[in-house]
Each structure stands twice: as C-alpha cells, then as structure tokens.
Amino acid sequence: MFLEPHFKGQRSGWIEVICGSMFSGKTEELIRRLKRAKIANQKVEIFKPKIDTRYDDTKVVSHDANSILSVPISDSSKLLELAEGVGVVGVDEAQFFDEGLTEVCEQLALRGKRVIIAGLDMDYRGKPFGPIPNLLAVAEYITKVHAICQHCGNLATHSYRLSEDGGTVVLGEKDRYEARCRTCYHMGNILNLQVRTNGAEETKKG
Ligand code: ZN
C-alpha cells in the first residue's frame, strides 16, 4: 500500500505513477489516493483523455463503480492551465495521452503540485504504451499493480486481447480483454498464430 510521503516544510511537488495491466485496480488506487488527499483538505482535480468514452463523460469510473468527478481533455498541454490552483492533479488512462504529457507533469511538479498518473504500462502486444514509459523514468514514486491471470490464477501483468480488431487503441471490457500472466499471455499468442496460419493454409487449399 502506498503511504503518502512527508516533505517537511518543503513546497516541492512530485510525480507518482500507478501502472499495470487491465483489471489490475489502477483507477481504484488512483481514487483511493485522491480521496485521502481530499480528506487532507487539498484541492484535487482529475483529468482523463477525451478518447476514453466508456461509462460516463465527466467521471473517472473504476470497475467497482467507486467513482470521482473528472475533466476530459483532448491535449496534455491543457493541463497546465486547468491545473492552476489545484494541489493534487490526478490523470487517469494516461497511456492515451500524447507524448507531451511527461513534460507537462514535470512542469506541474516544479510548480509544487503532487501529480498522480494512472495508466496501462503495456498495450495488448506487450509493448510500452504511449507516454507511460517516459513517465516511469521521471517519476519519484512508482507502483505496479497486478491483476489475477484468468487462466492460471497467478499474478497477471499482461493485457491479452481476445478480439481481432486492429489498432492499439481498442477500448473495451471483459469481453475483449483478459488479464494474463506472462506465460499464459505468450501461450495465447502462439495458439492464435497457429490458428491464423492454419486458417490461411485452409484458404489456399480451398
Ligand atoms: Zn497464467
């Protein structure tokens, strides 16, 4: 569990990143930290990319419906003006933001703000996702949360895509993705490849 750091008499800001696969509880952890900051009478604001249209337009909604109000924005640079006067800046689904988010977060931290980022560390191909890898490099605190592998019950780090839709950005839920451990993720990919190769051969024959 993340415990808020104490900076005695310092007005310095910092960056925290909460990352992990789908269904790992990133948003829940973000909301938990923001609610604690609210209890401490800090001004809290949450931002998310406009692209995330799941559930509700104005809320960060986690999978257990423990939600908090948020502001959808299209460009990371908007954060600089919108976070004016805010002490704790939360960003959800940060992987969908542009690469400029890292620079923006560093600026906000320099202005004395606590910046809490939540996002997928890897896409469904197992590759680092959007601005998250750079944010991990510059963050003071990193928390990697784990889901449970839906195949074997081990800790899951990968988001396995069940559907064949193209593009990295496919928003979806349990019907499209599974949380998987490294082994089950790779086994799934190998099986898929075999099915596709066999399918192609069948087509050639027919
Ligand atoms: Zn597994």
Side-chain angles (χ1 to χ4, degrees):
M1 183 175 287
F2 183 86
L3 297 174
E4 288 79 357
H6 287 278
F7 292 110
K8 277 185 197 151
Q10 236 175 295
R11 287 283 300 146
S12 153
W14 68 89
I15 301 172
E16 299 164 28
V17 178
I18 305 159
C19 68
S21 70
M22 295 188 75
F23 318 118
S24 61
K26 299 180 296 296
T27 303
E28 286 86 345
E29 177 60 16
L30 173 68
I31 289 171
R32 191 185 73 86
R33 291 185 195 180
L34 291 168
K35 284 190 170 166
R36 288 165 66 88
K38 262 190 183 174
I39 293 168
N41 283 324
Q42 288 174 303
K43 194 164 185 299
V44 169
E45 197 86 67
I46 305 161
F47 303 92
K48 65 175 185 180
K50 256 202 175 120
I51 189 171
D52 186 21
T53 53
R54 283 178 294 175
Y55 311 111
D56 196 304
D57 243 343
T58 53
K59 285 179 186 170
V60 165
V61 183
S62 66
H63 304 296
D64 68 354
N66 184 8
S67 63
I68 234 174
L69 281 173
S70 80
V71 184
I73 55 172
S74 52
D75 191 295
S76 67
S77 63
K78 294 237 165 43
L79 267 174
L80 290 171
E81 33 182 303
L82 291 172
E84 203 62 53
V86 179
V88 185
V89 181
V91 181
D92 198 27
E93 302 285 358
Q95 74 278 358
F96 291 134
F97 272 107
D98 51 283
E99 293 289 345
L101 182 64
T102 309
E103 175 73 36
V104 166
C105 290
E106 291 196 277
Q107 286 282 337
L108 292 173
L110 274 175
R111 292 180 194 178
K113 297 176 198 306
R114 176 184 176 194
V115 184
I116 315 175
I117 305 287
L120 287 166
D121 45 10
M122 286 182 278
D123 63 18
Y124 77 98
R125 300 166 304 167
K127 302 292 177 217
F129 208 153
I132 300 293
N134 286 338
L135 283 160
L136 287 170
V138 301
E140 274 87 347
Y141 304 99
I142 297 166
T143 306
K144 191 148 178 164
V145 284
H146 298 102
I148 297 297
C149 177
Q150 288 167 248
H151 271 246
C152 72
N154 281 333
L155 287 182
T157 46
H158 287 66
S159 307
Y160 182 77
R161 189 192 278 185
L162 299 164
S163 73
E164 282 295 309
D165 308 359
T168 312
V169 182
V170 174
L171 295 172
E173 276 311 304
K174 300 233 182 219
D175 55 331
R176 288 194 166 179
Y177 294 93
E178 274 180 7
R180 292 198 179 186
C181 69
R182 186 183 293 278
T183 305
C184 294
Y185 171 81
H186 282 283
M187 288 306 283
N189 282 347
I190 290 166
L191 284 173
N192 262 346
L193 191 66
Q194 282 172 350
V195 168
R196 254 178 282 153
T197 317
N198 290 345
E201 272 165 20
E202 297 283 306
T203 320
K204 259 190 231 165
K205 277 183 208 159

